[in-house]
Amino acid sequence: MHKGFLRPVYGSYGVDSLLNILVTGGLGYIGSQACVALVQAGHGVVVLDDLSNSQRSVREQIEKIAGSEIHLEIGDIRDEECLCRLFNEFNFSVVFHFAGLKSPLESVAVPVDYYDCNVNGTLSLLKQMKRSQVKTLVFSSSASVYGIPAEIPVTEKNSVTNPSHPYGRSKLVVENILADLSSADREWRIACLRYFNPVGAHPSGLLGENPQTIPCNLMPYIVRVASGRLEKLSVFGVDYSTVDGTGVRDYIHVQDLVEGHLAALNYLECNSGFITLNLGTGQGVSVLQLIHEFENVTEIKIPFVTTERRAGDVAECWADASLAENMLGWKATRTLADMCRDAWRWEQQCLQKSS
Ligand SMILES: NC(=O)c1ccc[n+]([C@@H]2O[C@H](COP(=O)([O-])OP(=O)(O)OC[C@H]3O[C@@H](n4cnc5c(N)ncnc54)[C@H](O)[C@@H]3O)[C@@H](O)[C@H]2O)c1
């Protein structure tokens, strides 16, 4: 076993105990910030990432903020030999599974890649976890499993039968696999966390989202317009029946999301079985409201044009996050202003580095 990491007897650990945790996709936007929080909570972190949407240098940033080392393995979650080696070397107690492909738009063009990475990748991981008797998993699901929600705010009881794209369907397939696994073997402890719209960055400005291509999501696009990397923003659709005609979403600060993961880990310490929880703020924010908040916080004008609705976009979607609050004692606390401020600080850091 790797020195310095401990594996306690299950159920005996409290906040001060050390666990060995495998974080797949731990160099990515959300996973990297989860790694910081896990290390800061005293856990041993091993990252498995294939660098398909991240860079090696993220490791240094994680270690710089957390003040402690992590182990990094460059590899693919579908590589069963690699998984076997890692599970033999480190005595994991828990897996945080962030690795996957995440663009709804891209998933329409290359669905097989999405099912292969997201579904087959998870199956490889589960097979190895079973072989190694590691039965605690926190899985990154998505609000996209709801497709066009029949009721808003969206509760976990909303129908998930019809996600709008292969990406959403790949997440739903995994959720179903995990539910079946938990029914078959009650020893598993699984939390499926359905994220709404994660935005913002680590407050240090050292970790955040830096898409390699033109961003599809609103906040990364806004910050690039603000910094001059992109000329202007397109607002898709101004005739929705929403507060100001533009699309409404539930933006959640990535740090709140990360805290939700730690709360889920604490919950799984005491409870076996399978839970599915929304992680959102419970607040709907329109495109124009987000632009205005960003302008207020940064005092930078965001030029935009309005265009036709984009195919597949829903008018509005926000979470009822009360189940997570009741079960985990977790609630998002950061404001829209915090999200804008941190996203902007991160963009400025990225620009400084590239200049
Ligand atoms: N960011 C969002 O808006 C959002 C919303 C809902 C759900 N999610 C889910 O949360 C998870 C993390 O999202 P993120 O925004 O941090 O994404 P990200 O792309 O920044 O991070 C994913 C990481 O996984 C790695 N990876 C991808 N495929 C891999 C593979 N086969 N083997 C090993 N590593 C692999 C990438 O290199 C990357 O570092 C994903 O599963 C995503 O679907 C994200």
Side-chain angles (χ1 to χ4, degrees), residues 23-342:
V23 182
T24 72
L27 296 188
Y29 170 45
I30 304 166
S32 59
Q33 296 182 62
C35 287
V36 169
L38 289 171
V39 172
Q40 287 175 336
H43 301 301
V45 167
V46 175
V47 166
L48 174 60
D49 198 299
D50 69 353
L51 301 180
S52 57
N53 196 31
S54 53
Q55 280 137 10
R56 270 177 199 273
S57 58
V58 171
R59 177 205 192 150
E60 287 153 39
Q61 311 292 60
I62 294 171
E63 292 178 342
K64 195 164 169 184
I65 306 170
S68 183
E69 285 184 12
I70 60 167
H71 179 93
L72 171 62
E73 187 77 18
I74 305 298
D76 193 304
I77 48 168
R78 289 161 291 188
D79 179 346
E80 299 195 359
E81 270 179 40
C82 170
L83 285 175
C84 184
R85 200 169 10 87
L86 270 185
F87 275 76
N88 286 340
E89 185 177 354
F90 298 94
N91 218 351
F92 298 124
S93 298
V94 180
V95 176
F96 276 58
H97 181 28
F98 294 98
L101 301 177
K102 65 164 180 177
S103 160
L105 211 62
E106 187 184 54
S107 75
V108 175
V110 286
V112 174
D113 293 1
Y114 271 68
Y115 286 112
D116 189 31
C117 182
N118 294 358
V119 179
N120 285 338
T122 305
L123 283 173
S124 310
L125 186 64
L126 292 174
K127 282 189 267 179
Q128 184 58 52
M129 289 176 74
K130 187 164 178 258
R131 274 194 292 273
S132 302
Q133 292 291 297
V134 178
K135 294 187 174 178
T136 303
L137 175 71
V138 180
F139 171 63
S140 302
S141 190
S142 162
S144 62
V145 296
Y146 294 116
I148 298 170
E151 278 173 55
I152 293 169
V154 182
T155 72
E156 290 79 358
K157 291 201 173 81
N158 268 55
S159 162
V160 289
T161 49
N162 201 13
S164 311
H165 37 68
Y167 166 67
R169 283 190 280 278
S170 73
K171 289 290 181 190
L172 186 55
V173 171
V174 172
E175 283 199 4
N176 288 334
I177 292 169
L178 296 176
D180 288 342
L181 178 58
S182 161
S183 305
D185 178 353
R186 289 284 164 194
E187 284 182 6
W188 280 81
R189 297 161 187 253
I190 301 174
C192 265
L193 305 179
R194 292 178 178 160
Y195 310 163
F196 276 66
N197 297 77
V199 294
H202 193 275
S204 64
L206 295 177
L207 290 171
E209 189 174 21
N210 190 13
Q212 299 308 301
T213 52
I214 293 181
C216 305
N217 294 335
L218 184 58
M219 184 69 100
Y221 209 107
I222 289 177
V223 294
R224 288 191 179 187
V225 172
S227 67
R229 284 212 266 175
L230 291 169
E231 192 194 340
K232 58 177 179 283
L233 177 73
S234 296
V235 176
F236 298 107
V238 284
D239 57 351
Y240 289 113
S241 55
T242 60
V243 57
D244 55 22
T246 63
V248 170
R249 297 289 179 273
D250 185 335
Y251 297 100
I252 175 168
H253 197 296
V254 60
Q255 284 292 306
D256 277 326
L257 199 67
V258 164
E259 287 170 8
H261 286 68
L262 268 77
L265 179 62
N266 284 341
Y267 174 89
L268 295 178
E269 175 194 354
C270 310
N271 301 278
S272 60
F274 176 76
I275 51 166
T276 304
L277 298 171
N278 288 341
L279 294 188
T281 61
Q283 307 278 323
V285 173
S286 77
V287 175
L288 293 183
Q289 286 169 338
L290 182 59
I291 295 171
H292 292 147
E293 188 66 21
F294 188 88
E295 290 179 336
N296 283 341
V297 167
T298 61
E299 298 181 356
I300 298 171
K301 200 88 198 130
I302 301 298
F304 67 86
V305 289
T306 59
T307 66
E308 296 290 294
R309 294 180 183 192
R310 199 166 50 174
D313 277 354
V314 299
E316 47 187 5
C317 180
W318 68 88
D320 177 333
S322 54
L323 190 61
E325 188 176 351
N326 293 337
M327 292 186 77
L328 308 183
W330 166 90
K331 197 173 166 26
T333 56
R334 289 162 182 85
T335 63
L336 200 58
D338 296 328
M339 302 179 210
C340 294
R341 201 175 295 113
D342 290 337

